């Protein structure tokens, strides 16, 4: 038996933010990030719509990129003090992910973060509040997923939390919010969405329900991401839908080791963070080459290649064509080819190699590794990470 879970209601299209005024409740807390939603007027609109719905509204602002355990705990404390029956999370993946974790600690104050790390171990939610997610970026699709990524900065580890309990009740996918994204964010979030869809399609847990969502998302992203990056707002609007479809696919099919590696390298180095979407973009071509040693994975990568119009007379040729196409997209989006080139070389080579065994072990233990089509050994994961650092060929 398999399970397929999505939000109860999903509102999409320009102006769909106004659906907030139809929510039924007494109190709503809005969780937001660093200020873009306020700067562009969307926070004021959301607050006004909720008040029009007859609710008392409180804000929890300034959730940082890659939200921390500490921020989650502060937000949960604010919720326990205010006692909302709606949690409305608005912005990029960070405030929505943070709010999902806050939700658990609001309803279950005695739960520990360590208890939630085990996949699908959350207590039953919706005892005190329901959850509405409103994305402003076109990548994470956390508005429709059973996932949240929280960073433990003391340990330098990003933890993917996974449980169908944290799939939002309501998602509002209004492209007007995404039209404000700067080009670099458009590129990184767009390739994050591409990685979601590709990994979902080759996941060992893919199924008849997830496959069409993943394939159609891949085609839309392939057609529209570079246009969106170059300022085409109609393409930007379509990308907002495409990333959501990719999220529907991966929330139910799960992901693979591109994400395992991105999670465990993201906060591991003192030189700075590797932005999640950029990490996925750099690692995806290498992981495809590695996974394609499994014939079934190679066949499915070949199906992706054919579906987006690439040519090849064998699975191997189609895999190579797909890798070349993804590398070309990265180049057009000004995404570096490897970690060594990231942000002018901020990830120190010696530190990378010193931490390689521990980062590789953590990546193998990541929640996303289990559904990857090829299970890496410690030696293989270290080799793969080195290929991603130096941009060398995967030949194992």
């Amino acid at each position: 038996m398999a399970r397929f879970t999505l939000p109860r209601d999903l509102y999409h299209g320009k102006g769909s933010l106004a659906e907030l005024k139809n929510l039924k409740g007494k109190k709503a807390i809005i969780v937001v990030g660093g200020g873009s939603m306020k700067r562009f007027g969307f926070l004021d609109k959301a607050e006004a719509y909720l008040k029009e719905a007859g609710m008392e509204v409180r804000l929890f602002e300034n959730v940082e990129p890659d939200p921390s355990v500490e921020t989650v705990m502060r937000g949960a404390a604010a919720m326990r003090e205010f006692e909302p029956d709606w949690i409305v999370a608005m912005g990029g993946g960070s405030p929505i992910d943070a709010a999902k974790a806050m939700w658990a600690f609001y309803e279950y104050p005695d739960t520990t973060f360590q208890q939630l790390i085990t996949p699908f171990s959350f207590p039953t939610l919706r005892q005190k509040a329901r959850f509405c997610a409103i994305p402003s970026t076109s990548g994470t699709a956390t508005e429709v997923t059973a996932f949240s990524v929280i960073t433990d900065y003391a340990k330098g580890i990003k933890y993917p939390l996974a449980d169908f309990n944290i799939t939002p009740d309501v998602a509002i996918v209004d492209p007007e919010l995404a039209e404000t994204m700067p080009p670099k964010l458009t590129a990184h979030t767009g390739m994050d969405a591409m990685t979601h869809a590709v990994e979902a399609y080759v996941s060992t847990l893919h199924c008849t329900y997830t496959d069409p969502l993943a394939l159609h998302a891949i085609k839309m992203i392939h057609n529209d991401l570079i246009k969106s990056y170059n300022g085409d707002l109609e393409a930007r609007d379509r990308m907002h839908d495409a990333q959501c479809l990719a999220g529907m696919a991966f929330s139910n099919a799960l992901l693979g080791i591109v994400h395992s590696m991105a999670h465990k390298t993201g906060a591991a180095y003192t030189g700075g963070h590797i932005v999640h979407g950029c990490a996925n973009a750099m690692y995806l071509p290498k992981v495809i080459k590695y996974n394609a040693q499994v014939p079934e994975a190679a066949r499915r990568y070949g199906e992706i290649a054919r579906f987006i119009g690439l040519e090849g007379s064998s699975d191997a040729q189609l895999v190579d064509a797909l890798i070349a196409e993804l590398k070309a997209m990265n180049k057009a989006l000004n995404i570096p080819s490897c970690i060594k080139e990231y942000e002018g070389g901020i990830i120190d080579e010696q530190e990378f190699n010193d931490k390689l065994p521990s980062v590789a072990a953590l990546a193998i233990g990541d929640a996303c590794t289990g559904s990857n089509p090829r299970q890496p050994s410690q030696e293989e994961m270290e080799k793969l990470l080195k290929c991603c650092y130096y941009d060398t060929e995967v030949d194992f």
Side-chain angles (χ1 to χ4, degrees):
M1 185 186 80
R3 178 174 176 176
F4 188 87
T5 300
L6 295 176
R8 169 66 178 81
D9 293 298
L10 192 154
Y11 301 94
H12 57 97
K14 288 192 174 184
S16 54
L17 183 64
E19 189 58 33
L20 287 173
K21 64 187 177 184
N22 294 320
L23 296 184
K24 307 297 183 186
K26 295 179 179 179
K27 293 182 177 182
I29 188 167
I30 305 177
V31 180
V32 292
S36 64
M37 291 297 93
K38 179 180 286 186
R39 195 162 58 249
F40 293 109
F42 295 114
L43 180 56
D44 287 343
K45 283 186 178 180
E47 190 172 4
Y49 288 140
L50 290 167
K51 287 179 177 178
E52 188 175 341
M55 291 195 227
E56 182 183 350
V57 181
R58 183 169 294 184
L59 306 182
F60 185 87
E61 301 182 75
N62 300 312
V63 174
E64 74 273 37
D66 300 315
S68 66
V69 176
E70 290 76 16
T71 295
V72 167
M73 295 307 181
R74 284 194 298 106
M79 290 177 186
R80 288 194 294 270
E81 190 274 328
F82 182 56
E83 298 185 334
D85 47 16
W86 275 102
I87 299 167
V88 177
M90 184 178 190
S94 294
I96 299 175
D97 279 7
K100 287 179 174 181
M102 291 171 192
W103 188 14
F105 293 110
Y106 165 44
E107 298 206 353
Y108 295 90
D110 295 331
T111 298
T112 67
F113 187 71
Q114 288 300 122
Q115 288 174 302
L116 300 185
I117 291 171
T118 303
F120 302 97
S121 63
F122 273 61
T124 301
L125 298 179
R126 295 167 181 84
Q127 307 305 300
K128 297 179 181 178
R130 286 179 289 169
F131 196 101
C132 174
I134 309 166
S136 65
T137 60
S138 301
T140 70
T142 189
E143 72 275 6
V144 294
T145 75
F147 296 94
S148 165
V149 180
I150 305 299
T151 302
D152 185 331
Y153 285 91
K155 296 180 179 178
I157 299 174
K158 287 186 177 182
Y159 289 103
L161 309 180
D163 198 286
F164 288 116
N165 265 286
I166 57 173
T167 303
D169 298 281
V170 175
I172 296 177
V173 185
D174 189 330
E176 289 183 348
L177 280 69
E179 289 178 0
T180 63
M181 287 193 298
K184 193 170 188 177
L185 183 60
T186 300
H188 292 169
T189 55
M191 287 307 293
D192 189 19
M194 176 65 89
T195 306
H196 290 156
V198 171
E199 290 208 295
Y201 193 71
V202 301
S203 162
T204 57
L205 296 175
H206 77 88
C207 69
T208 303
Y209 292 84
T210 61
D211 282 352
L213 292 165
L215 276 179
H216 191 59
I218 290 165
K219 178 173 274 191
M220 289 180 73
I221 296 164
H222 181 246
N223 289 343
D224 285 319
L225 176 53
I226 293 172
K227 295 175 189 174
S228 175
Y229 174 76
N230 290 325
D232 182 333
L233 291 185
E234 290 185 2
R236 180 78 55 86
D237 293 353
R238 291 191 294 271
M239 274 297 304
H240 211 44
D241 289 330
Q243 64 87 30
C244 188
L245 296 175
M248 293 179 188
F250 91 77
S251 186
N252 292 280
L254 306 188
L255 292 163
I257 60 172
V258 178
H259 273 77
S260 302
M261 293 159 63
H263 291 151
K264 299 321 183 206
T265 57
Y269 309 109
T270 56
H273 280 208
I274 304 175
V275 173
H276 178 72
C278 187
N280 282 336
M282 293 189 293
Y283 306 166
L284 181 58
K286 304 298 185 187
V287 170
I288 290 174
K289 190 70 172 178
Y290 172 80
N291 284 342
Q293 296 301 311
V294 176
E296 174 64 9
R299 184 182 70 79
R300 292 185 70 79
Y301 287 129
E303 289 175 352
I304 291 171
R306 287 192 194 93
F307 194 73
I308 61 174
L310 304 181
E311 295 183 355
S313 58
S314 66
D315 286 339
Q317 288 182 2
L318 287 163
V319 167
D320 287 343
L322 179 60
I323 290 170
E325 186 69 7
L326 291 168
K327 287 182 175 180
M329 288 183 69
N330 283 346
K331 186 174 182 180
L333 296 166
N334 289 306
I335 291 173
S337 61
C338 61
I339 300 171
K340 190 173 184 179
E341 296 177 2
Y342 179 74
E343 293 293 327
I346 65 170
I347 307 303
D348 179 72
E349 183 175 2
Q350 186 63 52
E351 183 183 14
F352 174 84
N353 284 302
D354 288 347
K355 291 182 174 178
L356 183 60
S358 61
V359 171
L362 288 167
I364 290 170
D366 188 90
C368 295
T369 299
S371 47
N372 194 68
R374 183 181 176 188
Q375 290 300 299
S377 66
Q378 175 73 19
E379 181 184 9
E380 287 172 339
M381 181 59 80
E382 289 185 23
K383 285 183 178 179
L384 193 53
L385 284 163
K386 276 193 166 185
C387 289
C388 292
Y389 186 87
Y390 294 105
D391 194 21
T392 50
E393 289 299 313
V394 176
D395 57 2
F396 53 93

